[in-house]
Amino acid sequence: MGVRVGWAGLLLGLSSGLAVAQPISEVGRWSPLMSWPISATHAHLLHSGKVMFFGEFDEGTQSPRLWDPLANTLTPIPAPPFNIFCAGHSFLEDGRLLITGGHVDSHVGVPDAIIFNPKSGAWDNVPDMNDKRWYPNNTTLANGDVLVLSGETDGEGLFNELPQRYVAATNSWQNLTTAQRKIPYYPHMFLAPNNKLFFSGPWRSSQWLDPDGTGTWFEAPYSHFGGRSYGGHVYFDGKVLAVGGGNPPTETVELIDLNLPSPTWAYQTPMSVARRQHNTTFLPDGKVLVTGGSRLEGFNNAEGAVLFPEVWDPETNVWKKLASNNAYRGYHSSSVLLPDGRVLSAGGRNVRTAEVFEPPYLFQGPRPVISTAPDEIKPGTPFSVGTPSGAQLKKVTLISLASVTHAFDSSQRFLTLPHALTQEGLTVTAPESNVAAPPGPYMLFLISKEGVPSVAKMVMVKKVPPRFTRVLAFSDVWKYDDTNVDRGTSWLSASYNDASWKSGPGQLGYGDGDEGTVLNAMVPAQPSVYFRKKFTLTKQVSAAMLEVLFDDGIQVWINEVPVFSRNMGKGLHFAAFASGSTNNQYIREPLPLASNPFRTGENILTAMVKQVGSSSTDLTFALGLEVETASLPSQDLIQVLSPNGGESWAGGSRATLRWALKSPVPKVDLAFSSDGGTVWTPIAFEVPGEQGTYPWRVPNLQSTQVLVRVSKTGGGSSDVSDAVFSIVRTQIQEP
């Protein structure tokens, strides 16, 4: 049974006892202080609408509490098996809460991880991480996995540099071995529109982290202001807002739009006062509420307490002061948006009180009503919302549930959802993919034209298959030639012998200090470096997305077909330098497939990276590839007739390959495999499909695991021998 908190109710009409000069419809109002048994240093809004919180230092070993915002009661839940103070946390797809790391002493963490199950109230076991973490960060990824980053281990400045991916499907950890880096504790990370993690602070130098494969860091734009320690960072509609922070603190605010091809930080209207140790929280209407913090220099200077909140309107870039609260909320405080549109503000260093803010919109008119809405939302699928308020609505918004500590929440996401009126209410456009809305629990709000929110409908965003499948990641291993030798054009061919080339994981280069593989840096700089990578496709490609990271010029070929070029205006011959300079430029763009370069089976991707001049001091290369494949099975159009299994052919003899077409195919490519289909060797390209036969000089080798493949040129349908056949090596007679 819950224990009622010591003040009379939380109904929307209670007076806060504060004398304000402006009406509550302009500045809102605060509840009286509530006394809680532990500090709300870590606070999480559950799918039930209740807030689960746990406290600081030794309170991390005690029973967390569940606060019911409607009944205003506190209920203890079972204590965790280790001290979860100073842990990282984020929600999983099913609404459970993953907690990573914890506390032994200041700057000393634990390797433990655990999952809180809100439905059972129990703790679910998770294997230990690679090492201790104190102040780590959790960020939920598009497929529902969680990237855990940073955290101190055994003392100040001793960091766990190995990022780890919690694989939700198997309850296991995957190490990002090529992404080891010393990153400050509680780094501010967000899943961006390009499916990379964006590190927005507290450093001035932003960073990208590609979580695919074994991980790759690369540069992102610098912000204008210096470091923003204990500042606020929030993510909305593909943009990141950075508010205050630093020591001494700043009032400045910056915004970066990650939807743009080349995003940059830009100053916004500053707050009216400098702050650090404040909380930054999205409201249902898309405005950003800043509460608490100190305006004075020092780690957590209560003499500089800022009691009045400010709210930022992204549509007008204007800040507005609101009614002052009752207590200093600084270090170890938390802020949580509640389903009814109020905001919980609680905790602080040795502070065991809480209060609730009623924003002005709760006093500005009738609330929209959600009469029906789905319990689950699938990205890419429209859904219906029943409401009598449709004609009075301005917007529909989706906000992830809070999981906040130390004034930050990596999983906090705000999305504006397009909608259209229907007879019964609305048709709402779901987020395009789980990149926009990672799977897990969210609140769905309707916002009136006056800016008044409905009470939220709790929904679960489900995991759906992505449109594109990743084929190559930035961290993949490439063959490369950095010997400053002209290889002509033969190196572009799949049959080129690159056995003597070196290999290493991306990114590859030199001079920047963030390479997975450091290449040979010559003086003067070599004009060109070669890269090769083979990959296999099982279906025809209908769309493709290419990602490249390069410095200074680059040309990319797929199966000897040029598909991407930048700064190569001086020509492709080895000795030519790049025609322009760039600094670790990142580009993500769709590949044109009018002349589809992809093949079913083995493909070869080649790249040439050029320096801008002989005095260049750095070089960068990494490449990622995602493809969308056709839904039709490739064997529907082509059928291999011979060899089709069981034959025995003599090496060096002539044999006829035969195939049939079930629908027109202009040209086909032929290949064979001597190891049951693992490695394919080309026989011929662009053979007229209607020809149906091809005379083949059988290679003189010994194998019982031979297959022949016939595939549509340019990617698409293909067929392979139904079963293996044999080639018998013959003794070649000398003339």
Side-chain angles (χ1 to χ4, degrees):
M1 179 177 178
V3 177
R4 192 166 181 82
V5 182
W7 58 272
L10 262 174
L11 298 177
L12 289 180
L14 274 177
S15 169
S16 66
L18 296 175
V20 294
Q22 295 175 280
I24 57 177
S25 61
E26 291 292 326
V27 296
R29 68 182 175 191
W30 289 87
S31 72
L33 288 176
M34 297 178 282
S35 294
W36 282 0
I38 59 175
S39 173
T41 301
H42 301 256
H44 321 275
L45 178 64
L46 305 181
H47 191 264
S48 64
K50 298 179 181 179
V51 177
M52 177 260 210
F53 65 94
F54 51 92
E56 58 188 357
F57 301 104
D58 290 343
E59 293 176 346
T61 64
Q62 301 176 20
S63 294
R65 301 304 199 271
L66 281 181
W67 176 60
D68 186 332
L70 298 179
N72 190 28
T73 56
L74 289 176
T75 304
I77 61 176
F82 60 91
N83 190 330
I84 54 177
F85 168 56
C86 289
H89 30 71
S90 61
F91 285 106
L92 300 174
E93 178 186 2
D94 57 7
R96 295 181 300 156
L97 184 70
L98 173 67
I99 298 175
T100 58
H103 180 79
V104 173
D105 200 348
S106 292
H107 307 283
V108 179
V110 299
D112 306 74
I114 199 78
I115 292 175
F116 174 67
N117 189 328
K119 292 183 178 179
S120 65
W123 299 93
D124 299 336
N125 291 327
V126 174
D128 284 356
M129 297 177 290
N130 71 302
D131 199 353
K132 302 171 183 177
R133 296 187 190 271
W134 187 83
Y135 278 48
N137 170 279
N138 285 16
T139 308
T140 303
L141 305 178
N143 72 340
D145 291 350
V146 176
L147 199 287
V148 180
L149 185 68
S150 189
E152 290 181 312
T153 54
D154 284 300
E156 187 171 2
L158 301 177
F159 285 89
N160 188 335
E161 299 183 14
L162 177 67
Q164 290 186 283
R165 183 174 186 144
Y166 174 71
V167 183
T170 58
N171 189 34
S172 62
W173 295 100
Q174 175 189 337
N175 295 334
L176 272 62
T177 53
T178 52
Q180 298 186 63
R181 177 171 292 193
K182 187 174 181 179
I183 294 294
Y185 47 52
Y186 280 148
H188 298 171
M189 307 290 294
F190 298 100
L191 182 66
N194 61 1
N195 206 17
K196 304 289 188 282
L197 294 182
F198 183 70
F199 167 63
S200 64
W203 291 346
R204 183 189 175 203
S205 56
S206 305
Q207 303 284 322
W208 291 108
L209 173 59
D210 181 359
D212 284 317
T214 54
T216 305
W217 287 98
F218 58 102
E219 293 180 5
Y222 276 66
S223 62
H224 296 287
F225 186 76
R228 292 183 179 271
S229 60
Y230 291 96
H233 294 246
V234 292
Y235 182 94
F236 67 104
D237 292 331
K239 305 170 186 177
V240 174
L241 187 75
V243 182
N247 192 17
T250 180
E251 71 279 10
T252 62
V253 177
E254 294 183 66
L255 177 74
I256 187 168
D257 187 348
L258 302 179
N259 299 293
L260 300 177
S262 300
T264 57
W265 287 98
Y267 273 123
Q268 305 295 295
T269 302
M271 297 180 290
S272 66
V273 63
R275 299 181 193 240
R276 63 181 266 118
Q277 304 285 9
H278 52 284
N279 278 270
T280 311
T281 309
F282 271 113
L283 299 178
D285 59 359
K287 295 178 181 177
V288 178
L289 180 71
V290 174
T291 53
S294 173
R295 71 181 187 279
L296 295 182
E297 185 174 2
F299 182 73
N300 185 38
N301 193 339
E303 293 183 3
V306 183
L307 298 182
F308 65 87
E310 292 185 73
V311 65
W312 180 72
D313 187 338
E315 296 181 4
T316 62
N317 190 23
V318 171
W319 289 90
K320 182 179 179 181
K321 296 181 183 179
L322 302 176
S324 295
N325 69 325
N326 301 291
Y328 171 54
R329 303 285 175 203
Y331 183 54
H332 285 183
S333 66
S334 59
S335 178
V336 174
L337 173 66
L338 302 174
D340 60 10
R342 295 175 297 159
V343 178
L344 170 69
S345 181
R349 183 71 168 84
N350 293 321
V351 177
R352 297 173 179 82
T353 64
E355 52 196 318
V356 175
F357 181 58
E358 299 169 85
Y361 51 56
L362 294 178
F363 309 99
Q364 292 176 350
R367 306 188 73 160
V369 174
I370 299 177
S371 52
T372 60
D375 295 326
E376 298 179 351
I377 293 175
K378 292 184 178 180
T381 303
F383 60 94
S384 298
V385 174
T387 176
S389 316
Q392 287 76 49
L393 294 182
K394 178 181 180 180
K395 65 174 74 171
V396 179
T397 62
L398 190 69
I399 305 178
S400 57
L401 303 193
S403 179
V404 62
T405 187
H406 292 71
F408 180 64
D409 179 1
S410 266
S411 297
Q412 183 175 212
R413 300 176 80 82
F414 177 96
L415 299 170
T416 304
L417 303 183
H419 70 278
L421 291 176
T422 66
Q423 209 166 26
E424 295 77 21
L426 306 173
T427 295
V428 181
T429 301
E432 180 182 13
S433 70
N434 286 126
V435 176
Y442 289 75
M443 291 186 287
L444 180 71
F445 286 98
L446 305 183
I447 312 298
S448 73
K449 293 177 181 178
E450 292 74 30
V452 181
S454 66
V455 174
K457 170 70 167 69
M458 292 289 192
V459 298
M460 299 295 290
V461 171
K462 303 303 290 181
K463 181 172 63 177
V464 299
R467 177 189 172 191
F468 289 95
T469 300
R470 182 160 291 282
V471 175
L472 300 176
F474 274 9
S475 60
D476 281 353
V477 174
W478 288 76
K479 286 276 193 173
Y480 65 92
D481 183 351
D482 60 353
T483 59
N484 201 22
V485 175
D486 187 347
R487 300 298 177 184
T489 59
S490 61
W491 70 281
L492 296 171
S493 171
S495 61
Y496 179 82
N497 185 359
D498 59 11
S500 64
W501 288 26
K502 292 175 281 188
S503 63
Q507 61 172 303
L508 301 100
Y510 60 82
D512 295 317
D514 56 1
E515 297 84 10
T517 299
V518 179
L519 303 184
N520 185 25
M522 294 186 173
V523 180
Q526 63 268 51
S528 303
V529 178
Y530 303 109
F531 300 91
R532 288 169 51 89
K533 178 75 176 174
K534 291 182 177 179
F535 60 97
T536 300
L537 298 171
T538 59
K539 294 181 179 181
Q540 73 178 88
V541 171
S542 56
M545 189 71 69
L546 185 73
E547 294 180 299
V548 289
L549 181 68
F550 65 97
D551 182 341
D552 291 288
I554 187 171
Q555 176 76 40
V556 179
W557 297 262
I558 294 176
N559 297 320
E560 302 185 58
V561 177
V563 297
F564 181 86
S565 182
R566 289 292 189 280
N567 297 335
M568 302 294 275
K570 293 183 178 179
L572 299 178
H573 51 284
F574 174 81
F577 285 101
S579 56
S581 178
T582 187
N583 182 30
N584 295 335
Q585 186 172 0
Y586 167 77
I587 295 178
R588 175 183 172 88
E589 66 180 35
L591 285 181
L593 297 185
S595 175
N596 195 327
F598 294 100
R599 300 173 181 148
T600 304
E602 185 180 81
N603 291 256
I604 178 72
L605 193 151
T606 50
M608 172 188 282
V609 176
K610 286 184 172 295
Q611 295 281 33
V612 74
S614 60
S615 61
S616 293
T617 58
D618 62 345
L619 182 141
T620 298
F621 171 72
L623 186 144
L625 178 66
E626 301 171 33
V627 300
E628 179 184 47
T629 55
S631 58
L632 285 176
S634 57
Q635 57 266 33
D636 281 357
L637 302 180
I638 300 174
Q639 181 181 7
V640 173
L641 300 178
S642 176
N644 209 28
E647 296 89 346
S648 180
W649 290 353
S653 67
R654 287 195 174 274
T656 300
L657 309 181
R658 293 184 172 88
W659 63 91
L661 302 180
K662 297 183 178 181
S663 64
V665 175
K667 294 182 180 181
V668 297
D669 298 334
L670 310 177
F672 81 99
S673 172
S674 60
D675 58 3
T678 301
V679 176
W680 291 92
T681 301
I683 297 173
F685 296 117
E686 298 186 353
V687 178
E690 62 184 11
Q691 181 174 303
T693 64
Y694 184 82
W696 183 36
R697 173 74 73 175
V698 179
N700 195 18
L701 53 82
Q702 185 73 37
S703 175
T704 59
Q705 302 294 312
V706 187
L707 296 168
V708 163
R709 182 183 66 209
V710 181
S711 57
K712 180 182 177 181
T713 298
S717 304
S718 72
D719 191 30
V720 176
S721 308
D722 287 348
V724 296
F725 66 98
S726 300
I727 296 178
V728 180
R729 184 189 298 274
T730 60
Q731 186 69 34
I732 299 176
Q733 298 292 330
E734 293 292 338

